[in-house]
Amino acid sequence: MLRIITDSASDLPKSYIKQHDLHVIPTPVVIDDVDYLDGKTIQTEEFYHILDDIKRDVKTYHINPAMFTDAFLPYAQAGDSIIYLCFSTGIAGTYNAANLALTGIREDYPDFDLTIIDSKCASIGFGLLVSKLVTMLEKGASREELIEAAAYYIAHIRHVFTVQTLAYLIKGGRLTKFKGTLAETLDMKPVLVVNEAGALAVVKTVRGRKKSLRYLIEYARETGCRLEGQTVALCHGEDPESLEFVNTLVQEAFHPKDTLISVVGCAIGAHTGRGLVGFCFFDADDGKYSKYFN
């Protein structure tokens, strides 16, 4: 049996996961020296309440080889063919850990057919990629087609997002305390993207929250491709008001075919805090894969 699996850094809504019977490997988060599993032993609402206290000790680490072995082994034993789409290597070491687990499993199950794909994506952009391949699989696409399509969509996906506060970027060392504190004082908000290498990069800094949220739409106008024919994706760090504001702008500007909306989980949220808002879409149409989306 051919199956697609992923991890919780894809931030797919629980309703989607249930509807498509999707296996999502939970990413770990450590809160005050206690380990939790994203979406399994801790949910986003509770997580963000804890995160709101900047003094709490919240850390993340990528899924380790032992966790991957536990996740992959039943498929090896069943003789299934698996495509695993993983969190971007530009942000975490998930891909390497998954390959270490695969090497170990193949010592006992040398014919285990597992393809590990670095999504070079994060949060709901990652989820949007997964959803593309899930649709294709459900409509009869072959393993080879799915692997080929993954490369195509990875090359054409766009993520753009902004944060409410810089405190967590400062705390995590992604922004120096001096620069971050100065920017906070001036109410400067960075607009970030996930670049071609799958890493985070700042594309613009603007003054004021509403201006930073509106810039997400400007970026999509500049880089998107016929968004009215696409399923686009929005995510938020437990900030429904900002999400509603951006979603209204998206619907008015682009009239997309459909909109996938989710809450940012622990893997990204721990480093951004409450208030992240992201917009994800493609800069090309479905091309030869359009037959699966009509």
Side-chain angles (χ1 to χ4, degrees):
M1 181 178 180
L2 177 60
R3 291 197 61 172
I4 290 170
I5 64 176
T6 189
D7 57 66
S8 67
S10 58
D11 288 340
L12 282 162
K14 285 190 173 183
S15 58
Y16 182 93
I17 293 167
K18 184 177 181 180
Q19 180 183 353
H20 297 276
D21 190 25
L22 183 64
H23 181 183
V24 179
I25 306 170
T27 55
V29 59
V30 183
I31 302 171
D32 298 329
D33 297 322
V34 178
D35 281 42
Y36 297 87
L37 295 173
D38 184 17
K40 187 174 182 181
T41 59
I42 191 166
Q43 306 303 320
T44 56
E45 187 174 358
E46 178 188 4
F47 175 69
Y48 279 97
H49 279 305
I50 292 169
L51 202 60
D52 285 340
D53 183 353
I54 194 71
K55 294 178 181 178
R56 297 290 294 270
D57 185 21
V58 180
K59 300 174 183 175
T60 61
Y61 62 94
H62 63 74
I63 304 165
N64 64 37
M67 295 172 178
F68 276 123
T69 298
D70 290 343
F72 294 155
L73 191 56
Y75 297 113
Q77 294 169 335
D80 289 334
S81 179
I82 302 298
I83 295 173
Y84 166 53
L85 292 158
C86 78
F87 191 21
S88 173
T89 52
I91 301 174
T94 313
Y95 178 81
N96 290 335
N99 274 288
L100 284 172
L102 175 58
T103 298
I105 291 171
R106 280 186 175 158
E107 291 180 4
D108 295 319
Y109 298 90
D111 296 326
F112 181 34
D113 181 19
L114 169 62
T115 300
I116 301 168
I117 298 175
D118 175 8
S119 71
K120 297 184 181 179
C121 294
S123 191
I124 199 57
F126 181 10
L128 186 59
L129 169 67
V130 172
S131 73
K132 282 284 191 185
L133 297 195
V134 166
T135 297
M136 290 179 64
L137 175 61
E138 290 175 346
K139 292 189 177 181
S142 68
R143 174 182 173 277
E144 291 71 24
E145 267 189 302
L146 291 169
I147 293 169
E148 184 185 73
Y152 175 80
Y153 287 117
I154 289 168
H156 291 291
I157 196 164
R158 296 276 184 159
H159 312 59
V160 60
F161 63 95
T162 189
V163 295
Q164 172 70 284
T165 174
L166 301 177
Y168 298 88
L169 295 175
I170 296 168
K171 184 179 179 181
R174 294 176 185 269
L175 195 62
T176 66
K177 189 172 183 179
F178 174 76
K179 287 184 177 179
T181 303
L182 179 62
E184 286 275 73
T185 302
L186 297 173
D187 196 27
M188 301 303 292
K189 308 293 183 185
V191 179
L192 302 97
V193 298
V194 178
N195 64 22
E196 291 179 0
L200 303 180
V202 176
V203 291
K204 194 176 183 68
T205 303
V206 299
R207 178 169 287 177
R209 174 68 164 174
K210 286 290 178 70
K211 192 170 182 179
S212 70
L213 294 174
R214 288 191 176 96
Y215 185 76
L216 305 183
I217 309 305
E218 291 180 38
Y219 181 84
R221 287 189 197 279
E222 294 169 1
T223 60
C225 175
R226 295 192 291 277
L227 269 63
E228 70 278 0
Q230 288 192 31
T231 293
V232 301
L234 290 165
C235 61
H236 66 107
E238 286 291 355
D239 185 354
E241 288 184 8
S242 295
L243 180 279
E244 184 178 357
F245 176 76
V246 173
N247 189 30
T248 298
L249 295 178
V250 167
Q251 303 307 320
E252 290 175 352
F254 305 116
H255 307 287
K257 183 171 68 175
D258 200 3
T259 307
L260 185 62
I261 295 175
S262 78
V263 178
V264 178
C266 302
I268 293 292
H271 306 283
T272 58
R274 187 186 298 273
L276 178 149
V277 178
F279 183 25
C280 302
F281 51 90
F282 293 96
D283 64 15
D285 60 24
D286 290 311
K288 66 180 182 179
Y289 308 109
S290 60
K291 63 183 179 181
Y292 292 106
F293 303 100
N294 292 331

